[in-house]
Amino acid sequence: GDGAPPGNYGYTSSGYSVYEEENDRLTESLRTKVSAIKSLSIEIGTEVKNQNKMLSEMENDFDSAGGLLGATMGRLRTLSRGSQTKLLCYMMLFSLFVFFVIYWIIKLR
């Protein structure tokens, strides 16, 4: 059918057809693309592992900060419920005084 001599099945005398050369070229192109995708997926996997590690560390930090904040709030509740209301008022007044002193110092600069 293709005009090739019978029994030769489209092959040229050198043993390779145009189709085989094109298949070889496309196979090599596919091989390079697959290796690029493989290296990219390895890099993505490494990045995911690093991000998961960082998230785990952040979770631990937030847990410890939450525990510290919870303990502080518990102490503040105990302080406000007890007979130490005067002490709480003094602390608030002292905080306001310090705030105004710092504001005044910054204003004078």
Side-chain angles (χ1 to χ4, degrees), residues 20-49:
E20 283 187 17
E21 289 174 3
E22 186 175 349
N23 280 343
D24 290 343
R25 183 180 58 80
L26 291 174
T27 302
E28 187 59 35
S29 173
L30 186 61
R31 186 176 292 127
T32 57
K33 288 178 183 177
V34 166
S35 93
I37 290 173
K38 178 183 176 184
S39 66
L40 185 62
S41 66
I42 289 171
E43 289 176 17
I44 288 172
T46 304
E47 185 65 25
V48 165
K49 286 178 187 175

Side-chain angles (χ1 to χ4, degrees), residues 17-89:
S17 73
V18 175
Y19 298 118
E20 283 187 17
E21 289 174 3
E22 186 175 349
N23 280 343
D24 290 343
R25 183 180 58 80
L26 291 174
T27 302
E28 187 59 35
S29 173
L30 186 61
R31 186 176 292 127
T32 57
K33 288 178 183 177
V34 166
S35 93
I37 290 173
K38 178 183 176 184
S39 66
L40 185 62
S41 66
I42 289 171
E43 289 176 17
I44 288 172
T46 304
E47 185 65 25
V48 165
K49 286 178 187 175
N50 290 338
Q51 294 293 329
N52 282 340
K53 180 181 173 188
M54 193 178 348
L55 283 174
S56 175
E57 291 171 357
M58 280 180 57
E59 182 181 7
N60 292 338
D61 291 343
F62 278 124
D63 285 343
S64 65
L68 182 64
L69 185 60
T72 302
M73 290 302 291
R75 284 190 222 120
L76 189 60
R77 265 187 244 117
T78 303
L79 184 66
S80 66
R81 276 192 233 138
S83 63
Q84 300 171 347
T85 311
K86 282 185 181 180
L87 181 60
L88 183 62
C89 289

